[in-house]
C-alpha cells in the first residue's frame, strides 16, 4: 500500500490528523532522493577509485617499490580516517562513499603487497585475507554493498568444485529445463523476499545473506541468458537471451503492479534500464579500450543515473500507486 | 553503542595489520641469505599467465649446497600456493609479451632461475628472475 493510501486510512481511523498527514507526506517527499544520492556517491566513489587506479597504472613501472607502498598506505590511511570522520559527523552519503573506498583499498593493498613480494597465494588466499581484514567495515559501515561484496568474497573461498560438477551436468540438459528453472527461481525469489521481510533490519549479516540470495536469482537469470548465447551474435540466440531476461523482469513488474508494491516496481524498472544500458555497452565495448573512451563511459554512467532518477520520480507519480 | 576509541581501533586495525605484514616481509627479505633456485614452467605452453610467471622450482638443477645444512628445503618454497603448487613472479605488463616470446622461441638455450631471500624455517621470498645468470630486465635490454 502506498504511503498516501496508508496515511489516508490513518486519518480515517483518527490515528493522525489531516495536518500530520501532510507533514508526513512532505517529509517523505523531501527525503525521497536519499537512496539515489547514496547510489550516486557509490558510483562516484568507484569512478574516482578507477581513475586513481588508471593514473597509478599509467606510471606504474617508473615508481620504485617503496614509493608504491608508501603511497598506497597513505591513501588507505586517509580513506580510513575519512570513514571515521564521516561516521562521527553522521554524513550518510560520505560514510557510504569512504567505507566502500576503504574496503576496496584494503583489497588493492593486499594485491600490491603480493605483487611486490612475489607471493604465490591464489584467489582463495587473497579473498580470505580481504574478507578477514574487511570485517570491521562490515560491522561499522552498515553498507549493504560492502556486506554483499564481503559475502561474495567469503563464498568464493569455499570449495565449489562439486557444486560446479553438478551444475555442469544440469546445464547439459539446459534447453528442456529452462522453463522449470525460471519457475523454480520465481518461487525461490518470493520465498527469499518473505524471509528478508521477516529479518530485523539491524541484523545485517543474515539480512545481507538473504539479499545476496535474492540478487543471485537475478544473476541466475543472467547466467541462464548467457547460456542462451549472450556473447554470440546470431539473431535467434540473442533474441532468446533478451526474451528470458525481459520476460522475468516483466513478470516482476506485473506482480508489483498487481500488488501495488512501488519498491518492487521501482527496483525492476531500474534493472530493466540497467539491462538496456548493458546491451548498449556491449555493442559499444570498444569505447572502453582507451582513456578517452573511459571518460565517455563515465559520462554514459552519469546519463544512466539521470535516467534512473527521472524514472524513479515518474514512478512515484504514477496513478496505480496512489 | 560502540565507544569512540573502540571504533577508531576497529577501523584502523586492517591498516595496522597490513603495515605489520609489510614490515615483516621487508625484514624477511632484507635479513635473508640469497639463494638461487632453478625454475621450470609449470606448464610449458603457459609459462606466462597474465602478468606473472607461473613456475615450479627445478630441484634437479639447483645447487643444494647453498642452503645452510646442504639440503634443499623443498617444503618451504611457495608454501602459500595451492592451485597446482605453482609459484609466481610478477612482471610488468609491457614486458610480458617479450618474455613470453623469448621463452617460446628458444626454450632449450635459456636457463631460468629465481634469486630467493632465504631465512631458515620461513617461506623464502623471490627477489629477482635471472635468464642465463643475468637479471631478466638486463637480458631483455641486451637481447631485444
Amino acid at each position: 500500500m502506498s504511503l498516501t493510501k496508508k496515511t489516508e486510512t490513518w486519518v480515517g481511523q483518527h490515528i493522525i490528523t489531516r495536518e500530520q498527514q501532510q507533514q508526513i507526506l512532505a517529509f517523505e517527499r523531501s527525503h525521497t532522493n536519499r537512496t539515489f544520492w547514496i547510489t550516486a556517491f557509490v558510483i562516484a566513489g568507484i569512478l574516482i577509485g578507477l581513475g586513481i587506479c588508471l593514473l597509478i597504472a599509467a606510471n606504474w613501472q617508473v615508481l620504485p617499490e617503496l614509493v608504491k607502498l608508501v603511497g598506497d598506505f597513505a591513501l588507505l590511511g586517509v580513506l580510513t580516517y575519512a570513514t571515521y570522520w564521516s561516521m562521527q559527523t553522521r554524513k550518510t552519503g560520505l560514510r557510504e562513499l569512504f567505507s566502500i573506498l576503504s574496503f576496496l583499498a584494503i583489497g588493492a593493498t593486499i594485491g600490491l603487497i603480493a605483487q611486490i613480494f612475489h607471493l604465490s597465494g591464489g584467489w582463495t588466499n587473497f579473498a580470505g585475507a580481504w574478507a578477514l581484514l574487511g570485517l570491521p567495515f562490515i560491522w561499522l559501515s552498515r553498507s549493504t554493498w560492502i556486506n554483499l561484496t564481503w559475502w561474495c568474497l567469503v563464498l568464493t573461498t569455499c570449495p565449489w568444485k562439486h557444486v560446479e560438477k553438478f551444475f555442469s551436468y544440469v546445464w547439459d540438459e539446459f534447453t528442456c529445463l529452462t522453463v522449470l528453472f525460471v519457475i523454480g527461481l520465481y518461487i525461490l525469489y518470493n520465498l527469499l523476499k518473505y524471509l528478508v521481510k521477516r529479518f530485523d533490519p539491524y541484523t545485517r549479516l543474515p539480512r545481507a545473506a538473504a539479499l545476496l540470495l535474492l540478487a543471485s536469482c537475478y544473476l541466475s537469470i543472467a547466467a541462464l541468458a548467457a547460456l542462451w548465447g549472450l556473447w554470440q551474435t546470431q539473431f535467434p540466440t540473442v533474441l532468446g537471451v533478451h526474451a528470458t531476461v525481459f520476460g522475468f523482469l516483466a513478470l516482476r513488474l506485473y506482480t508489483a503492479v498487481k500488488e501495488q508494491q512501488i519498491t518492487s516496481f521501482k527496483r525492476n524498472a531500474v534493472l530493466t534500464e540497467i539491462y538496456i544500458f548493458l546491451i548498449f555497452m556491449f555493442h559499444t565495448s570498444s569505447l572502453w579500450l582507451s582513456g578517452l573512451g573511459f571518460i565517455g563511459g563515465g559520462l554514459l554512467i552519469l546519463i544512466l543515473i539521470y535516467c534512473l532518477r527521472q524514472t524513479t520520480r515518474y514512478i512515484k507519480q504514477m496513478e496505480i500507486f496512489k | 553503542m560502540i565507544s569512540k576509541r573502540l571504533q577508531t581501533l576497529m577501523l584502523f586495525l586492517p591498516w595496522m595489520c597490513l603495515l605489520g605484514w609489510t614490515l615483516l616481509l621487508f625484514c624477511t627479505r632484507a635479513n635473508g641469505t640469497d639463494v638461487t633456485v632453478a625454475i621450470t614452467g609449470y606448464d610449458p605452453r603457459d609459462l606466462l599467465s597474465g602478468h606473472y610467471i607461473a613456475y615450479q622450482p627445478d630441484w634437479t638443477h639447483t645447487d643444494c649446497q647453498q642452503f645452510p645444512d646442504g639440503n634443499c628445503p623443498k617444503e618451504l618454497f611457495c608454501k602459500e600456493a595451492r592451485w597446482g603448487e605453482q609459484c609466481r613472479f610478477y612482471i610488468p605488463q609491457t614486458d610480458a609479451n617479450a618474455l613470453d616470446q623469448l621463452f617460446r622461441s628458444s626454450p632449450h638455450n635459456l636457463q631460468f632461475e629465481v634469486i630467493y631471500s632465504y631465512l631458515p624455517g620461513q617461506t623464502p621470498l623471490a627477489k629477482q628472475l635471472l635468464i642465463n645468470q643475468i637479471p631478466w630486465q638486463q637480458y631483455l635490454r641486451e637481447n631485444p
Side-chain angles (χ1 to χ4, degrees):
Chain A
M1 197 188 283
S2 73
L3 192 67
T4 319
K5 271 188 179 176
K6 264 185 195 171
T7 47
E8 200 62 55
T9 317
W10 296 342
V11 172
Q13 298 285 324
H14 303 292
I15 297 168
I16 55 170
T17 61
R18 180 71 59 191
E19 197 181 51
Q20 283 171 325
Q21 182 204 19
Q22 294 308 319
Q23 281 174 344
I24 290 169
L25 291 175
F27 177 81
E28 282 301 311
R29 272 187 213 111
S30 65
H31 286 75
T32 46
N33 282 329
R34 210 169 161 188
T35 314
F36 168 76
W37 283 115
I38 290 172
T39 314
F41 268 118
V42 170
I43 293 172
I46 292 168
L47 276 179
I48 293 165
L50 284 174
I52 292 169
C53 288
L54 278 179
L55 195 70
I56 295 169
N59 301 291
W60 194 243
Q61 275 171 262
V62 294
L63 295 174
E65 280 178 5
L66 198 66
V67 175
K68 286 177 194 170
L69 280 171
V70 169
D72 184 77
F73 273 99
L75 182 70
L76 181 61
V78 167
L79 287 172
T80 311
Y81 180 76
T83 311
Y84 172 74
W85 168 79
S86 56
M87 279 173 183
Q88 292 302 315
T89 49
R90 296 176 192 279
K91 292 185 191 301
T92 322
L94 287 176
R95 188 181 73 182
E96 187 84 7
L97 169 74
F98 291 130
S99 306
I100 290 172
L101 284 177
S102 306
F103 187 74
L104 290 175
I106 290 173
T109 307
I110 297 169
L112 181 67
I113 294 170
Q115 197 186 60
I116 285 177
F117 293 98
H118 304 286
L119 303 179
S120 305
W123 170 260
T124 317
N125 301 42
F126 172 71
W130 191 2
L132 193 70
L133 290 171
L135 261 175
F137 288 88
I138 294 288
W139 193 8
L140 296 171
S141 75
R142 293 187 184 180
S143 159
T144 310
W145 191 90
I146 294 179
N147 270 273
L148 291 178
T149 313
W150 190 85
W151 274 103
C152 287
L153 285 175
V154 171
L155 287 174
T156 54
T157 59
C158 300
W160 289 105
K161 255 186 208 170
H162 303 294
V163 183
E164 206 178 301
K165 264 186 190 168
F166 170 75
F167 276 107
S168 66
Y169 174 75
V170 174
W171 290 155
D172 288 344
E173 298 298 322
F174 160 74
T175 314
C176 309
L177 291 170
T178 304
V179 178
L180 284 175
F181 188 79
V182 173
I183 293 168
L185 266 177
Y186 193 74
I187 295 166
L188 181 71
Y189 183 88
N190 283 298
L191 186 74
L192 286 168
K193 219 171 96 178
Y194 172 73
L195 283 174
V196 169
K197 269 187 189 170
R198 298 272 299 181
F199 277 127
D200 185 295
Y202 296 104
T203 50
R204 304 292 299 184
L205 289 180
R207 199 177 147 82
L211 280 169
L212 179 70
L213 285 171
L214 267 179
S216 71
C217 285
Y218 283 95
L219 285 177
S220 305
I221 284 293
L224 193 72
L227 285 169
W228 273 90
L230 183 63
W231 316 117
Q232 293 175 26
T233 48
Q234 289 94 338
F235 182 69
T237 47
V238 172
L239 200 68
V241 173
H242 300 332
T244 314
V245 176
F246 283 124
F248 182 75
L249 290 171
L251 199 65
R252 294 291 313 139
L253 284 169
Y254 171 74
T255 321
V257 171
K258 211 174 158 192
E259 294 169 6
Q260 290 196 306
Q261 290 175 337
I262 189 165
T263 319
S264 174
F265 189 88
K266 233 172 16 182
R267 187 192 309 126
N268 287 287
V270 162
L271 279 173
T272 311
E273 273 188 73
I274 291 173
Y275 187 69
I276 293 167
F277 178 72
L278 285 177
I279 294 171
F280 178 71
M281 293 259 287
F282 177 66
H283 288 290
T284 56
S285 54
S286 54
L287 244 181
W288 296 80
L289 297 176
S290 67
L292 204 64
F294 199 82
I295 296 165
L299 286 172
L300 273 178
I301 290 175
L302 288 177
I303 292 168
L304 175 77
I305 294 172
Y306 176 76
C307 293
L308 294 180
R309 191 180 179 183
Q310 293 301 321
T311 309
T312 46
R313 269 187 187 168
Y314 178 72
I315 288 168
K316 277 173 196 160
Q317 306 298 323
M318 283 169 79
E319 275 303 313
I320 46 168
F321 297 117
K322 294 281 179 196
Chain B
M1 192 71 186
I2 307 163
S3 74
K4 216 172 166 179
R5 196 174 288 176
L6 185 64
Q7 201 179 42
T8 318
L9 184 74
M10 279 175 69
L11 275 176
F12 280 91
L13 193 66
W15 190 85
M16 289 187 285
C17 288
L18 286 168
L19 188 68
W21 185 33
T22 310
L23 290 175
L24 185 76
L25 289 168
F26 253 123
C27 290
T28 310
R29 198 165 71 169
N31 297 326
T33 321
D34 282 2
V35 290
T36 308
V37 175
I39 61 162
T40 179
Y42 168 69
D43 178 352
R45 289 164 301 174
D46 186 27
L47 180 71
L48 287 177
S49 178
H51 306 149
Y52 57 82
I53 294 176
Y55 65 89
Q56 278 184 320
D58 180 5
W59 297 113
T60 50
H61 293 98
T62 300
D63 174 22
C64 289
Q65 293 306 313
Q66 57 188 323
F67 294 99
D69 53 356
N71 287 322
C72 287
K74 297 173 189 174
E75 70 287 350
L76 289 178
F77 282 79
C78 310
K79 221 164 49 174
E80 70 276 26
R82 283 187 194 166
W83 186 262
E85 298 201 349
Q86 57 180 5
C87 314
R88 286 177 181 187
F89 190 92
Y90 288 87
I91 44 165
Q93 185 186 359
T94 45
D95 297 318
N97 279 340
L99 212 52
D100 188 29
Q101 275 174 10
L102 186 72
F103 179 77
R104 282 169 197 273
S105 59
S106 51
H108 304 298
N109 304 331
L110 299 171
Q111 189 190 357
F112 285 85
E113 287 168 320
V114 170
I115 297 178
Y116 277 95
S117 176
Y118 173 73
L119 271 178
Q122 289 193 29
T123 308
L125 292 171
K127 285 171 78 174
Q128 181 61 277
L129 172 72
L130 302 177
I131 304 173
N132 288 351
Q133 276 91 45
I134 54 172
W136 69 272
Q137 297 98 324
Q138 193 187 335
Y139 186 89
L140 283 186
R141 266 200 308 274
E142 289 169 6
N143 302 276

